[in-house]
Amino acid sequence: MNYYFVCKRKLWLFLHDIQMESDNQEVQIGKLIDERSYSREKKNIKINDTISVDFIGKYNVLHEIKKSKSIEKSGEWQLKYYMYYLSRKGVKIGKGIIDYPKLKERYEVKLEEDDKKYIETIIKEIREIKDDKIPDKLNHKICKKCSYYELCYI
Ligand code: SF4
């Protein structure tokens, strides 16, 4: 869901099991922030090999930890998708919160009825992207921070 909003090519590469995350500096910084933030909480909860929630707080509030607001929309829809997925499994989630520990800010996310319809449209489109040819490069400044940069441009 996150990659859908960031870059369709990145999504396609990921869907075809081409992963280059571990060596990328941006990814390492993100992981470090994640490890050092909210240390009392149980983190990175994988559910059914489908979603990976950063942590679940009091009153069933889902938390997603982000290091910056550069691609805020993707984080918001990622969290909405987790809420959608869990609600379909019968798990009642009160709300979601995107935490920016570096900025000392947080942002509340709710899943509305219209969001569910939109998520279903996106899921359909993601399946089509997987079956189609690899999308074009973005040629955007975010590419320099992407784990697939070398694969795309070098
Ligand atoms: S480097 Fe750019 S074009 Fe390539 S996958 Fe990443 S964001 Fe997409």
Side-chain angles (χ1 to χ4, degrees):
M1 188 58 67
N2 188 318
Y3 292 174
Y4 174 87
F5 287 97
V6 174
C7 167
K8 306 288 189 289
R9 184 179 174 93
K10 186 170 182 164
L11 173 65
W12 188 97
L13 288 164
F14 178 79
L15 290 171
H16 288 84
D17 290 326
I18 301 164
Q19 294 177 42
M20 302 178 73
E21 297 282 350
S22 57
D23 291 339
N24 182 272
Q25 200 186 16
E26 287 295 313
V27 175
Q28 293 298 341
I29 292 167
K31 281 187 179 158
L32 202 63
I33 290 171
D34 187 33
E35 280 163 19
R36 293 193 175 173
S37 310
Y38 312 99
S39 53
R40 281 173 299 165
E41 313 288 348
K42 185 178 184 313
K43 288 185 288 183
N44 298 320
I45 304 157
K46 286 199 168 50
I47 301 167
N48 291 348
D49 274 337
T50 305
I51 63 171
S52 177
V53 177
D54 280 350
F55 71 89
I56 300 175
K58 281 183 190 168
Y59 312 110
N60 272 8
V61 176
L62 293 193
H63 288 258
E64 183 68 18
I65 305 166
K66 295 286 178 204
K67 67 179 173 16
S68 81
K69 291 186 169 181
S70 59
I71 36 180
E72 205 170 11
K73 195 175 171 196
S74 66
E76 181 181 336
W77 282 99
Q78 186 180 345
L79 198 46
K80 284 189 182 199
Y81 173 67
Y82 293 167
M83 294 162 81
Y84 166 86
Y85 180 84
L86 290 170
S87 74
R88 302 256 307 177
K89 299 281 172 200
V91 181
K92 203 167 182 318
I93 296 296
K95 63 182 174 186
I97 291 181
I98 303 177
D99 297 283
Y100 300 98
K102 258 174 85 178
L103 305 171
K104 296 194 182 344
E105 284 183 32
R106 50 180 29 193
Y107 176 65
E108 196 174 299
V109 174
K110 288 220 164 137
L111 182 69
E112 311 288 353
E113 276 309 307
D114 282 354
D115 295 334
K116 292 180 188 172
K117 286 184 201 139
Y118 185 45
I119 286 169
E120 280 156 14
T121 308
I122 293 171
I123 291 169
K124 192 168 166 277
E125 206 183 316
I126 287 174
R127 289 198 185 108
E128 288 166 7
I129 288 168
K130 185 181 180 188
D131 293 340
D132 205 348
K133 63 179 177 39
I134 186 167
D136 290 339
K137 295 167 201 168
L138 267 190
N139 289 315
H140 187 275
K141 63 180 180 184
I142 66 159
C143 291
K144 291 211 168 135
K145 294 181 174 180
C146 174
S147 56
Y148 292 110
Y149 181 78
E150 288 187 14
L151 194 146
C152 288
Y153 295 101
I154 296 174

